[in-house]
Amino acid sequence: MLEILTSILVRTVVAGTPLLLGTMGEVVTERAGILNLGIEGMMSFGAVTGFIVTFTTGNPWLGMIAAIIAGALISLIHAFVTVSLRANQVVSGLALTMLGIGLSGLWGKPYIGRPLSIKMNAIAIPYLSDIPVLGQVLFYQDAYFYLSVGLGVLVWFMIKHTKVGITIRSVGENPKAAETMGINVSMVKYLCVMIGGAFAGMAGAHLSTAYSKSWIEGMTSGRGWIVIALTIFALWEPSKAFIGAYVFGGIFVIQYVLQPLGISPNLLAMLPYLTTLGVLLFYGLSSKGQRKMSAPATLGEPYIRGSR
Amino acid sequence: MSFVIIPREKATPLLNFMILISSLCAGLLAVGIVFLLKGVNPFFAISEIFRASFGSFFGFKETLTKAVPLILIGSGLALVYRAKFWNIGAESQLLVGAIFGTWIGLNWGPSLPGFIILPLMFAGGFIGGGLWGLLPAIFKIKFGINEVISTLMLNYIAAEFVKFLVVGPWKGKTKYGYPYTDDLPAQAVLQHMGNSRVSLALIILAVCVALFLAFLVFRTRFGYEIRVIGENPEAARYAGINFFRTTLIMMFIGGGVAGLAGVGELSSIHLHLSYPETISAGYGFTAIIVAWLGRLHPGFTIFSGLFFAGIIVGGDAIQMSMGMPATTVNVFNGLILIFLIMGDFFINHKVRYQRRVS
């Protein structure tokens, strides 16, 4: 029994890791007032880049770094189009998703069906990993898990307790006031979009070089969209993103736990999406919840410098 | 010397058209660069795409076939995007329409003549897609849920439900191991023209729907309400426009026409329900670009739908002849869409070159 529990928890944490990474990035982006619906595409692009670099160099760390850079670079398109050209953020994000999925399919094709010889291995933290259950769950994971937690805490601290965080929030809430304070609004937005892209790219590389060790088309399977829902679920709070990511990681795992009971796998596969809708409906039931669901004030709106 | 950006009041139709064409060309150029990076001759690849889709009679018939769902869905999306309701769920509205159509066709088809059963299937598909489209509208207005998220989640839910149906309760008795329902009875199948997969009835349906929706948007009070909600929600509130009612009707129609596309695919091409990827081939997403390229004018989606149908057919062709993966078409779609919205900037703004006064 304890073994089953441990295994479920371990897999929950593993499944939650890319969600946590993606959500942290999107929280930063949206806090600066930019909605980036392109997570699925950036994640996919990160997955294929991470895979190809790991495949050719044999070093999953290089794969991770490459995926981070790739994610940040492809997100620049969204930043340019929405910040500099003030284009519609919804449509630009969708276009980015199509582009990311298309490019990764194109570049990844020769690598389909060729597994990595090496992947990001689990690292045991001395002593701590010997604790029953928790040791396996929290202290015997791959580097992506430790990094995602570390980066998550960093994002939380940055947003909540530093001047950088205040700058980002003011750009999202009241860009005109930020501008008069001497903040370069466009630059902050660009950087926050790129941070979001970097996180999404890293989440993708986790899927292709740690969670599994192969590249297949469509391997992100909607995680990018769940990340966007999780950002709302977390009410744009990094601390709540932790809860959301692992709850949804758990829902991914529950599918496989319930399958032997004879429930149709197709109905179980609906669970993450049904839960997402269910949670948002739950928030929406009360007007207090609806108010809480209110996004950063200028989310989705272009900022025009010097306008009144 | 510097650039000054001035908002433009209204662009002339000619300028609008010129910018559209330039955006398309720039998009194709970017696609060419991607091909070049992949070691494929871009001129060859792009000309191959258009040769395969518009350059031969056989190809053009396929293009017409694929244009039907794109025009149906695209015109419906143009309608709801006018109100800035970002329905990304046409893919599943199509599927639910196909589910309704399948049920009607299989259960009532054998005992009814074609001229009754086919309209019934299309009516059922419209209602199915429409009801599925109502959900995100209710979620948005009554629960404050972002429609992008809800329509996407509904996409996954409907797709899994279709899979559940075709491997489970609806699995055809005559289909052995395959995940299909039984085939529709002969009277529930649309006639094709000559030696092709083109159904004249479907083409007429698609064109009529697009023209009707254009009429709705630009010539009726309902269309006016939709446009005001999109352009100036504050004014819409002052004018006493009922957001809930207008959004519901609008999404019922938008989802309904996607449902029609689902029944069209079913009764003309596939003849049975099967895996969602087979039934739809991403029409719900491609139609987003169709709507955008049609400048959210339902009537213009007839042309933009035809154009993108050509890209799909041509994409399939180079996929087979040059060994490109199926997602290549996503690169196409993504890049063209990006350049289209970049073009919007020049429609909405004037850029002047100015000597700095010091």
Side-chain angles (χ1 to χ4, degrees), chain A residues 85-96:
Chain A
L85 295 186
R86 307 163 194 172
N88 183 301
Q89 297 180 7
V90 173
V91 184
S92 169
L94 288 173
L96 187 61

Side-chain angles (χ1 to χ4, degrees), chain A:
Chain A
M1 193 60 215
L2 208 59
E3 268 168 39
I4 298 172
L5 181 72
T6 311
S7 131
I8 290 176
L9 285 177
V10 167
R11 286 193 290 167
T12 297
V13 164
V14 173
T17 298
L19 299 178
L20 180 63
L21 285 168
T23 309
M24 284 301 170
E26 185 70 7
V27 164
V28 174
T29 307
E30 291 195 15
R31 276 293 177 123
I34 300 282
L35 174 69
N36 188 351
L37 297 181
I39 305 280
E40 184 83 358
M42 301 189 295
M43 223 185 226
S44 186
F45 195 59
V48 83
T49 311
F51 183 86
I52 293 176
V53 170
T54 309
F55 191 92
T56 26
T57 62
N59 186 341
W61 286 94
L62 287 179
M64 180 198 282
I65 294 166
I68 291 171
I69 296 171
L73 284 181
I74 198 170
S75 74
L76 258 181
I77 297 174
H78 186 67
F80 175 69
V81 171
T82 61
V83 180
S84 299
L85 295 186
R86 307 163 194 172
N88 183 301
Q89 297 180 7
V90 173
V91 184
S92 169
L94 288 173
L96 187 61
T97 290
M98 293 177 191
L99 182 64
I101 290 177
L103 283 181
S104 46
L106 198 61
W107 273 315
K109 193 177 181 236
Y111 299 91
I112 292 174
R114 294 166 74 183
L116 293 174
S117 53
I118 179 172
K119 68 169 188 169
M120 198 61 105
N121 283 322
I123 304 165
I125 308 279
Y127 308 112
L128 290 175
S129 58
D130 297 331
I131 306 170
V133 187
L134 277 188
Q136 290 284 312
V137 177
L138 297 178
F139 303 107
Y140 189 62
Q141 296 280 8
D142 59 61
Y144 279 97
F145 168 72
Y146 302 123
L147 280 173
S148 70
V149 174
L151 287 169
V153 172
L154 196 70
V155 167
W156 164 79
F157 186 77
M158 180 185 84
I159 295 274
K160 284 281 163 190
H161 298 288
T162 67
K163 193 151 175 286
V164 178
I166 296 171
T167 307
I168 293 174
R169 275 151 53 196
S170 63
V171 164
E173 296 292 342
N174 193 342
K176 273 164 220 153
E179 188 90 53
T180 49
M181 300 285 288
I183 294 168
N184 186 338
V185 171
S186 295
M187 196 188 69
V188 172
K189 288 187 180 233
Y190 261 86
L191 286 176
C192 287
V193 170
M194 287 176 78
I195 291 173
F199 269 103
M202 186 174 172
H206 169 264
L207 292 175
S208 62
T209 66
Y211 190 70
S212 70
K213 48 178 185 173
S214 56
W215 158 255
I216 40 167
E217 263 180 39
M219 72 184 308
T220 45
S221 63
R223 284 183 179 83
W225 298 112
I226 290 180
V227 158
I228 289 159
L230 275 177
T231 309
I232 304 174
F233 173 87
L235 305 169
W236 297 270
E237 295 284 351
S239 52
K240 295 200 179 83
F242 275 96
I243 305 170
Y246 293 126
V247 167
F248 273 75
I251 292 165
F252 270 97
V253 175
I254 277 184
Q255 294 174 40
Y256 302 104
V257 178
L258 293 181
Q259 216 158 313
L261 300 177
I263 305 172
S264 153
N266 299 116
L267 294 184
L268 287 173
M270 291 180 192
L271 271 176
Y273 316 113
L274 281 175
T275 318
T276 306
L277 275 182
V279 168
L280 297 181
L281 280 175
F282 181 74
Y283 277 149
L285 274 177
S286 68
S287 56
K288 193 170 156 239
Q290 279 197 22
R291 230 184 359 264
K292 273 206 291 186
M293 243 190 326
S294 66
T298 63
L299 185 65
E301 288 170 19
Y303 173 63
I304 301 161
R305 216 178 145 195
S307 69
R308 267 170 274 270

Side-chain angles (χ1 to χ4, degrees), chain A residues 85-86 88 222 225 228 290, chain B residues 86 142 149 152 156 345 349:
Chain A
L85 295 186
R86 307 163 194 172
N88 183 301
W225 298 112
I228 289 159
Q290 279 197 22
Chain B
W86 304 114
K142 291 288 168 196
I149 301 295
L152 270 161
Y156 287 103
F345 177 78
H349 302 89

Side-chain angles (χ1 to χ4, degrees), chain B residues 53-54 63-64 66-67 70 304-314:
Chain B
S53 52
F54 295 102
T63 304
L64 277 178
K66 295 211 173 2
L70 290 178
S304 56
L306 203 59
F307 177 78
F308 267 98
I311 298 229
I312 296 180
V313 172

